[in-house]
């Protein structure tokens, strides 16, 4: 990188492109806004922060419905919808924690790679608490405008998440089945 006259010149294998200094500052501010989303809203459950950093008509396209229903993909609309979604996840996984090892920003767009972990201790979708510990990796792509998160798309493997949630449950049912079969066989023996 070389600084010169108010902008940063970035050298790479692609054609040279000048990035305005204000663009670098805006990208950093946008990344900081998304960091608040993960740290304060998701990890700490501070729902009031949603009113500070999200647009009134915010939309999120992500796996799992805001109401927790079994439909795999859906839209969360508005600040209240996001509050319901955060509450759904934090109720199902009270110890939920998001790690965000990578933020990439370009103009109004911020991409975040995240990993969330949690213990399933509350109802989630149609699934009663299993006590399962899950770890799910995903990517969030958000658009920021005038200091507010306007919209986002979140992608994670909800199928893998459900497999992690039900793995022990299916194991218990399988163990119970074999236990019942063995007991039935014992009753048949003289």
């Amino acid at each position: 990188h070389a600084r010169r006259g108010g902008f940063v010149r970035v050298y790479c294998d692609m054609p040279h492109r000048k990035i305005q200094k204000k663009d670098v500052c805006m990208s950093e501010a946008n990344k900081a806004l998304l960091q608040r989303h993960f740290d304060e809203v998701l990890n700490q459950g501070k729902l009031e922060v949603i009113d500070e950093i999200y647009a009134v008509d915010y939309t999120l396209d992500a796996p799992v419905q805001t109401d927790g229903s079994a439909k795999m993909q859906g839209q969360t609309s508005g600040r209240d919808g996001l509050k319901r979604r955060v509450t759904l996840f934090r109720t199902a996984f009270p110890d939920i924690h998001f790690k965000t090892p990578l933020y990439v920003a370009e103009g109004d767009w911020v991409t975040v790679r995240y990993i969330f972990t949690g213990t399933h201790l509350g109802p989630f979708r149609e699934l009663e608490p299993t006590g399962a510990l899950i770890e799910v990796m995903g990517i969030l792509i958000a658009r920021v405008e005038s200091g507010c998160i306007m919209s986002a798309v979140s992608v994670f493997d909800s199928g893998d998440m459900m497999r992690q949630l039900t793995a022990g449950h299916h194991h218990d049912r399988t163990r119970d089945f074999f236990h019942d079969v063995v007991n039935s066989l014992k009753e048949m023996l003289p």
Side-chain angles (χ1 to χ4, degrees):
H1 296 94
R3 291 197 183 277
R4 202 183 199 182
F7 46 87
V8 178
R9 182 177 282 268
V10 178
Y11 297 96
C12 58
D13 294 331
M14 299 181 341
H16 295 300
R17 184 182 133 187
K18 294 179 183 180
I19 298 174
Q20 297 292 328
K21 186 175 184 179
K22 67 178 174 113
D23 291 338
V24 172
C25 292
M26 184 176 68
S27 293
E28 291 304 312
N30 291 347
K31 286 195 286 188
L33 198 62
L34 267 292
Q35 190 164 17
R36 286 190 72 193
H37 161 75
F38 284 98
D39 292 345
E40 295 178 45
V41 175
L42 299 179
N43 287 341
Q44 297 173 36
K46 294 181 178 179
L47 298 180
E48 68 276 8
V49 174
I50 291 172
D51 295 325
E52 297 173 26
I53 66 174
Y54 293 88
V56 173
D57 57 350
Y58 169 79
T59 58
L60 169 68
D61 185 6
V64 182
Q65 293 291 307
T66 300
D67 65 2
S69 67
K71 186 175 173 190
M72 295 302 279
Q73 190 75 18
Q75 275 207 341
T76 298
S77 299
R79 292 173 178 166
D80 287 338
L82 182 59
K83 289 175 185 176
R84 285 191 304 276
R85 183 180 181 83
V86 170
T87 300
L88 168 77
F89 274 86
R90 291 190 57 78
T91 300
F93 308 96
D95 61 345
I96 196 167
H97 182 76
F98 284 78
K99 291 183 245 174
T100 53
L102 180 65
Y103 288 81
V104 178
E106 174 81 28
D108 292 344
W109 295 95
V110 180
T111 301
V112 183
R113 183 169 67 91
Y114 62 83
I115 301 161
F116 72 87
T117 57
T119 309
H120 183 214
L121 300 176
F124 183 71
R125 298 173 64 176
E126 287 82 28
L127 191 60
E128 289 302 314
T130 62
L133 177 63
I134 63 164
E135 180 178 271
V136 180
M137 185 176 67
I139 294 178
L140 178 84
I141 302 170
R143 185 173 63 83
V144 178
E145 188 177 289
S146 302
C148 288
I149 302 171
M150 302 298 290
S151 62
V153 174
S154 181
V155 180
F156 64 86
D157 187 344
S158 58
D160 179 54
M161 179 179 168
M162 293 308 291
R163 279 188 293 281
Q164 291 180 52
L165 288 173
T166 59
H169 184 67
H170 290 305
H171 177 72
D172 290 344
R173 287 196 334 219
T174 303
R175 184 193 66 225
D176 292 345
F177 171 76
F178 283 113
H179 184 331
D180 291 345
V181 168
V182 168
N183 283 339
S184 295
L185 291 172
K186 284 181 182 177
E187 289 175 6
M188 292 179 177
L189 295 174

